[in-house]
Amino acid sequence: MQFNKAIRAVGPLRGGLQKLILNKRLKFPKLISLELTNACNARCIMCPRDQLSRKIGNIGMDVVEKLCADAVGRPLDKINLFGFGESLLHPRIIDIIGRIKTSLPAVKLNLSTNAQLLDDKLSVGLLGSGIDRINIDIDGVTRQTYEGIRKQLDFDRVNSNAKHLIAMRNELHSRVKISVTIIDMDVTHREVPVFREAWSHLADTVYVNHYNTWVGIFPDRNTPITDMDQFAFPCKNPWKEMIVNYDGSVAFCCMDFNSTIVLGNIKDQTVEQIWRGEKMERLRQLHLEGRYSEIPLCSTCNEFIFQSDSFWANLFHR
């Protein structure tokens, strides 16, 4: 963290370093988030599903094949196999993972799930699919807290499924990494230390995340509430992550769950064409100039609390 802040003191060197990093990031996204489905079996209090206006659907293999073809030999580090939905609801999830891993063996594949549907068959399939990491979202250490947040899910079942997956992974000597996540917010804050202690002996990594307001749709429930109230740097996401929806359309940001800003469709264009296209460049320039008010989606976003201590934020801090 100290090193990240120290980057502000390098004076004239910052401009050259900024240019170098921006040019490198413009070549191709480091991360692609691929929405397998936008259907979900939960109704969580921190998720704006009741405002979803997009048609519910599952990704087709044509979109998967096109993405693989576009990404072969490119500097893509990771694919997140989820978007605005529960990926385990896709009936061909194992086939999809296998197809991507065959085409892009060096790309890390990451799945995040609520684990409600993680039965033995799916667990065995996932552990043998080529997936690199499975993250399970478990907000709470008590039934009351968890089921008050992740509505329509069963606390005991989710915990049992998660622990069984870990045990199965260990028995099979699989290299799949398994992590768990809790959001630190007003209703979970007291349970965070207990959660961290309980799962640190089981999972490879325990993540404690900030609360995201979904571009101002929800009031801030972070504990404590951050003293920052706006971006003092360009958001790094437009230079890092591409959002591919189940129908192949590309949204500007992962917070744009209704795809109010569509940059193109990978069925009609290549990933590189969209990533380096005029629409994306215009939005990036507004970020560089701090003109967030001109992008309604970005003007009320609190994503800065996730990025404020990063090297990127300090390098571009205005």
Side-chain angles (χ1 to χ4, degrees), residues 136-205:
I136 301 173
D137 297 309
I138 310 176
D139 290 297
V141 294
T142 64
R143 174 186 288 274
Q144 181 179 6
T145 298
Y146 176 86
E147 293 185 1
I149 296 170
R150 293 193 168 265
K151 297 182 182 297
Q152 298 185 188
L153 302 182
D154 182 271
F155 175 73
D156 292 332
R157 182 175 178 181
V158 167
N159 276 266
S160 176
N161 287 349
K163 292 174 181 177
H164 188 59
L165 177 70
I166 293 170
M168 188 178 295
R169 186 275 309 266
N170 295 341
E171 290 173 7
L172 295 173
H173 302 289
S174 169
R175 295 184 178 182
V176 177
K177 298 295 183 182
I178 300 174
S179 57
V180 294
T181 299
I182 187 172
I183 299 173
D184 189 355
M185 51 181 164
D186 49 7
V187 290
T188 63
H189 186 65
R190 291 183 179 180
E191 296 185 10
V192 168
V194 182
F195 180 91
R196 196 194 298 270
E197 173 64 22
W199 284 101
S200 63
H201 303 294
L202 297 169
D204 297 298
T205 309

Side-chain angles (χ1 to χ4, degrees), residues 168-285:
M168 188 178 295
R169 186 275 309 266
N170 295 341
E171 290 173 7
L172 295 173
H173 302 289
S174 169
R175 295 184 178 182
V176 177
K177 298 295 183 182
I178 300 174
S179 57
V180 294
T181 299
I182 187 172
I183 299 173
D184 189 355
M185 51 181 164
D186 49 7
V187 290
T188 63
H189 186 65
R190 291 183 179 180
E191 296 185 10
V192 168
V194 182
F195 180 91
R196 196 194 298 270
E197 173 64 22
W199 284 101
S200 63
H201 303 294
L202 297 169
D204 297 298
T205 309
V206 177
Y207 294 109
V208 179
N209 285 346
H210 294 297
Y211 177 85
N212 200 303
T213 65
W214 286 93
V215 297
I217 290 175
F218 298 119
D220 193 345
R221 302 181 72 159
N222 281 291
T223 304
I225 294 177
T226 175
D227 56 0
M228 293 183 65
D229 60 1
Q230 61 183 354
F231 275 96
F233 51 88
C235 176
K236 67 181 180 181
N237 290 345
W239 285 269
K240 177 183 178 182
E241 181 180 14
M242 173 177 275
I243 310 300
V244 180
N245 296 324
Y246 75 86
D247 60 357
S249 62
V250 176
F252 176 52
C253 176
C254 60
M255 293 292 105
D256 192 6
F257 59 92
N258 272 326
S259 295
T260 60
I261 303 177
V262 176
L263 305 173
N265 193 302
I266 67 169
K267 292 181 181 179
D268 308 316
Q269 302 163 273
T270 66
V271 167
E272 183 178 4
Q273 286 171 340
I274 297 172
W275 185 248
R276 303 182 68 173
E278 183 180 344
K279 288 184 179 180
M280 191 63 157
E281 279 302 291
R282 185 171 66 251
L283 291 163
R284 288 189 182 117
Q285 190 58 40

Side-chain angles (χ1 to χ4, degrees), residues 29-44:
K30 294 180 65 178
L31 167 66
I32 292 177
S33 288
L34 185 64
E35 183 180 69
L36 303 194
T37 181
N38 63 345
C40 193
N41 56 343
R43 291 297 181 270
C44 304

